[in-house]
Amino acid sequence: MIQRIQSVYILVAAIFIGFLLALPLAEIAANGEVYVFKATGVYNGTSLIFSGIPILGFIGLIWVLHFVALLGYKKRIRQMRVLVFTIILMLGLFGLMYYFTYASFENEQVAFKIPVVFPLVAIILDYLAIRAIGKDEAMIRSIDRIR
């Protein structure tokens, strides 16, 4: 399972998505105060200003689907479909992060952190995994024709 390059791509993408749960995504300066935007919500110090349950749910679902794709290595077509679905969910995650960042306050200044790029890196890794799975599937079908 892990000896295939697509499994490595999926595992690394799952690790990047897992980092989103722990690291801050942005800092928002509004009304003379600094707010920290994490996957669990927007915080002012230790007090929760806005709950981030939808973002937390998206990240959790994407993370679980990556492991479903990783463990479904015997069913390559289903694995590709799961990865396409995770790519769509990660694009939706970008929209949710944008909404939570800019719809929370008026006249804010946003400083995004490096973890905001992690879903984009995971999308690229998922695309590479889909291509590698497709090559494996084509090779298996060509071998079946020879028999």
Side-chain angles (χ1 to χ4, degrees):
M1 170 179 75
I2 200 70
Q3 69 269 17
R4 296 174 26 208
I5 189 67
Q6 57 264 33
S7 297
V8 174
Y9 290 148
I10 295 169
L11 183 64
V12 172
I15 290 169
F16 275 119
I17 295 301
F19 280 145
L20 289 177
L21 295 172
L23 300 173
L25 301 172
E27 288 183 356
I28 305 168
N31 305 325
E33 296 184 34
V34 176
Y35 301 92
V36 177
F37 174 46
K38 295 182 179 180
T40 55
V42 178
Y43 292 92
N44 183 8
T46 58
S47 62
L48 179 68
I49 305 298
F50 294 108
S51 177
I53 297 296
I55 291 178
L56 196 61
F58 258 69
I59 292 173
L61 180 62
I62 292 167
W63 195 67
V64 167
L65 285 175
H66 272 100
F67 282 105
V68 166
L70 184 65
L71 297 175
Y73 60 92
K74 290 186 179 180
K75 298 180 180 176
R76 288 173 294 280
I77 301 299
R78 186 181 73 182
Q79 192 178 27
M80 288 172 44
R81 288 181 182 158
V82 167
L83 288 175
V84 168
F85 187 61
T86 60
I87 289 173
I88 293 169
L89 285 177
M90 283 187 275
L91 292 173
L93 180 65
F94 271 124
L96 266 176
M97 287 193 298
Y98 177 81
Y99 174 75
F100 269 83
T101 304
Y102 287 107
S104 303
F105 303 99
E106 292 181 11
N107 300 327
E108 73 276 350
Q109 292 181 351
V110 178
F112 287 106
K113 301 292 182 181
I114 291 176
V116 172
V117 182
F118 288 173
L120 181 63
V121 173
I123 287 172
I124 293 169
L125 290 170
D126 284 351
Y127 173 73
L128 291 174
I130 290 170
R131 284 187 53 194
I133 294 167
K135 286 180 185 177
D136 275 0
E137 185 66 23
M139 182 182 66
I140 295 296
R141 289 183 187 221
S142 71
I143 290 172
D144 284 345
R145 278 195 298 261
I146 293 172
R147 283 192 229 175

